[in-house]
Amino acid sequence: MGTFIYDNTPAEFDDRVLAHIEAVVAAKLRRGEPFLLTWRNDALTGGGRDTVWMSANVPVLFNYRGKRPSDLDRRVVERLLRMANSPGGVVAPSPEEL
């Protein structure tokens, strides 16, 4: 499990999921395109979901537990990028969706 921290808001993700999120965040913010990012919270922490407005003006940290970079599925990255361009933004996938 890795940690994503955005504006002091931490969220834990499977390293492979986090790598896909990082690829989308990097692509969108590199182009100066802010977007919504939503993730589901673990039931053990109360459940529900969080949504953040991803902007290049706010620091972001991707902290991986694993030492090796995860392989990216190009189709998943492309699907997430299409979502990022929609009004609802990106919904972080579960490990099973990769």
Side-chain angles (χ1 to χ4, degrees):
M1 294 296 284
T3 305
F4 166 78
I5 301 174
Y6 182 75
D7 197 26
N8 295 318
T9 301
E12 289 194 354
F13 294 97
D14 172 88
D15 274 359
R16 189 152 187 260
V17 171
L18 188 58
H20 284 78
I21 293 171
E22 180 182 1
V24 172
V25 169
K28 294 294 287 177
L29 297 186
R30 187 180 308 117
R31 296 181 205 140
E33 299 173 352
F35 65 100
L36 289 171
L37 173 62
T38 299
W39 61 86
R40 295 170 201 90
N41 294 313
D42 190 288
L44 297 174
T45 61
R49 62 184 168 83
D50 287 334
T51 300
V52 295
W53 179 249
M54 297 296 302
S55 166
N57 298 329
V58 179
V60 62
L61 171 69
F62 299 90
N63 180 271
Y64 295 90
R65 298 279 160 75
K67 294 181 182 186
R68 295 181 186 195
S70 297
D71 292 331
L72 295 178
D73 182 328
R74 184 165 217 53
R75 291 174 298 171
V76 173
V77 172
E78 289 170 357
R79 178 173 52 90
L80 295 175
L81 283 168
R82 283 192 304 275
M83 290 173 71
N85 292 326
S86 72
V90 174
V91 176
S94 68
E96 298 78 26
E97 293 174 290
L98 300 179

